[in-house]
Structure formats: C-alpha cells, structure tokens
Amino acid sequence: MLVRLLYASRAAAHMDQDALLAILRQSKGNNPPIGVTGLLCYSGGIFIQALEGGRAAVNKLYLKIAADTRHTDVVLLSYEEIGERRFAGWAMGQVNMGRLNPALLLKYSATAELDPYSVSGAVSLAMFDELVATASIMAERG
C-alpha cells in the first residue's frame, strides 16, 4: 500500500543553501533503498515536505524526521493512501522558492509568505502541488 505524507516544521537554526543541499544529498542516498520519494520546500525558516512510499517505510522515516533536532514544531498536514505517486522520479527534490510568484501563496493564505500552520491540510496539499507545478525543482531526478 502506498501513502503520501505531508508535514511542516520550523528550522531550529538558520538554514543556508549548503545545509539544505546536505539534507537533499542525505535523502537521495537514504530514500531509494527504502522506496521513498518526495519533495522538500523551504522558505522563511519553514519546511514543507512530501514523502511517498510504502506505509511502513514512510511512517518509520517520518518518526525519524520528527525527532531530528534541526527543526521544531513538526506538524502532520496530510496523510493519505494513494493509488500512485506524484513524485515518483524524485528520491528527494527541492522546490526553488526564488522562482515563485508571491501571488500563488496569496491564492491559498492571508499573506504572501509560506505558512502551512495557518491553513488546513487539504489547502497545504493543494498549495504544495501548485508550488511543485510552478516553481522549478533544484535537485536532479533519481
């Protein structure tokens, strides 16, 4: 059974591009052997991440992520059984927020800032899908 999990968290400390790339590299090494794919979005100290894969693998990875001290305020936004993956080609990709039109964020929230804590899980998932569709992905596939 495949599931998709979407969560948000706040960075515990400032995350520069090198720190984000280190997370992506680690994910690209760790996720394929366990069958997990997904995307990471980071802006203004907030992470949103989608994980897809088998239920046991996604659950185990989420528990590990939730215990990671590099972030706080981990909140599960959406968890659902799925028939197919949306991010099958990505061991872990990163949404390039620098190319994002702020109007897209205003479509889903009160401000042009990424704030998944102020909207529902369904809205977060819809916003995440549009972020993925309209912003370029900064990591190579696979």
Side-chain angles (χ1 to χ4, degrees), residues 88-137:
W90 299 96
M92 188 54 60
Q94 179 188 3
V95 176
N96 181 355
M97 295 300 290
R99 293 186 173 198
L100 178 66
N101 180 345
L104 176 62
L105 293 173
L106 283 173
K107 179 178 176 180
Y108 292 102
S109 63
T111 67
E113 294 180 8
L114 183 66
D115 186 7
Y117 295 95
S118 67
V119 297
S120 72
V123 166
S124 292
L125 187 58
M127 180 176 63
F128 193 78
D129 283 342
E130 266 199 77
L131 288 172
V132 169
T134 60
S136 67
I137 306 302

Side-chain angles (χ1 to χ4, degrees), residues 25-37 85 90-92 142:
R25 271 189 236 103
Q26 182 180 9
S27 296
K28 286 184 75 173
N30 294 343
N31 291 352
I34 61 172
V36 172
T37 57
R85 297 173 194 243
W90 299 96
M92 188 54 60

